[in-house]
Amino acid sequence: ALSVGGASQQVSVVGSSFTSLAGGAVKLGNVDDERALATSPERMDSAFRVVDNTIRLAALELRGAAAIFAGYVRDTTISHNSVAETGYTAISLGWGWGTHVLGRQTFMRNNHVV
């Protein structure tokens, strides 16, 4: 439903409702190892807020999609969302094995998953 990346910054998804989706609801950032290690701020996916959203019946056809996916992101908050009835998982945070994104950390807290 919503994909934000390509060195996007300061994006908020607040108070939205996503229902009956073939895939995931919100995809943030990238899965590109080179961009994950970027040290130049203009190449970073950062400062996202996903707060107070309702997601229901996600990933009905693309069963491996997360309702909320955040790949290589910095300074991101995912909180106070309600996620129910997903095909795979409610929230997938991070990507890769052994690659660490530099910069402020990402936080996920106080989400309600059913």
Side-chain angles (χ1 to χ4, degrees):
L2 174 65
S3 179
V4 182
S8 294
Q9 300 176 1
Q10 309 237 347
V11 175
S12 295
V13 181
V14 179
S16 297
S17 179
F18 301 88
T19 306
S20 297
L21 305 167
V26 179
K27 178 184 177 283
L28 305 173
N30 69 84
V31 294
D32 181 336
D33 287 341
E34 182 179 321
R35 290 222 0 261
L37 299 175
T39 56
S40 176
E42 63 270 3
R43 296 195 63 224
M44 297 176 179
D45 289 308
S46 65
F48 296 115
R49 288 182 60 234
V50 180
V51 179
D52 292 323
N53 298 289
T54 301
I55 301 168
R56 186 171 171 270
L57 297 168
L60 296 176
E61 292 184 29
L62 304 170
R63 304 291 290 176
I68 300 172
F69 174 82
Y72 292 130
V73 296
R74 293 163 178 80
D75 190 19
T76 296
T77 299
I78 301 169
S79 67
H80 297 94
N81 299 288
S82 177
V83 183
E85 301 176 76
T86 66
Y88 171 59
T89 192
I91 303 169
S92 180
L93 179 57
W95 185 260
W97 295 266
T99 301
H100 180 72
V101 175
L102 303 174
R104 292 181 54 145
Q105 296 301 304
T106 294
F107 295 96
M108 179 176 63
R109 60 181 165 255
N110 300 318
N111 294 286
H112 183 238
V113 177
V114 179

